[in-house]
Amino acid sequence: MAIPEPTTARLKLVNPDLSHVDPLAELFSDREVMKFIGIGKPWSRAQVEARIERGMGLNADGLPYFWTVTLADTGEVMGQAGVVPIHFDGAEIELGYRLGLKYWGHGYATEAAEGAMQCAFAGADTGGLGFERLVAVTYPDNHPSRRVLSKLGFREVGMSDKYYGVESLLHERLRG
Ligand SMILES: CC(C)(COP(=O)(O)OP(=O)(O)OC[C@H]1O[C@@H](n2cnc3c(N)ncnc32)[C@H](O)[C@@H]1OP(=O)(O)O)[C@@H](O)C(=O)NCCC(=O)NCCS
């Protein structure tokens, strides 16, 4: 299955390719951007490249990976947002997003995540991915991200140490 590429009023979410490595590596080398991602450290160019290659592999297998978020007007790369299959104690689909610092505070994360979520829940008959349930995990101190999820209708389930080996706050939303 070809992976769809959602668009929103201001953004185009595009499937990852190697031309995104350099701009994303620049955005994700920032300590402030990465402090609530994984173990909280900036990513090297090699780490970004490995993730993009993994995403391209998932897409080739008909599975989604975080889209590269671009500004529709200019095509500039702003970050990533999307849904990705995860497997900790069961198969789940995770919604995630991360934008370069200069793009914060303009509603872009909400817009990108909403476009990703709509595509994730839409049925294959309307060009969507047809998932029933999405999860998201945040550090409890990441109030902007918790706010984004709340605006998208996610429910805070509670703390869990199941994801990524760190105690984090689990959110979920069902299609509907
Ligand atoms: C989290 C992140 C994606 C938010 O991006 P953004 O484009 O600024 O988000 P939006 O503008 O769409 O929405 C942010 C919301 O949080 C609110 N907010 C910002 N700072 C806040 C704070 N300290 N406490 C509570 N709410 C806060 C904003 O007011 C806004 O809500 P509103 O629309 O009701 O006013 C961005 O900060 C980011 O990329 N952070 C680094 C990566 C990251 O943490 N990703 C999420 C991992 S779970």
Side-chain angles (χ1 to χ4, degrees), residues 138-140 159-161 163 165-169:
T138 59
Y139 283 91
M159 295 299 290
S160 171
D161 59 7
Y163 299 91
V166 288
E167 185 77 9
S168 45
L169 183 57

Side-chain angles (χ1 to χ4, degrees), residues 97-143:
Y97 36 80
R98 40 206 173 225
L99 299 180
L101 193 57
K102 63 183 166 186
Y103 302 109
W104 295 10
H106 300 282
Y108 287 132
T110 306
E111 186 172 325
E114 189 163 22
M117 181 180 77
Q118 282 172 359
C119 181
F121 282 142
D125 52 330
T126 53
L129 297 166
F131 296 122
E132 299 282 343
R133 174 177 177 263
L134 299 179
V135 298
V137 287
T138 59
Y139 283 91
D141 289 347
N142 193 350
H143 296 288

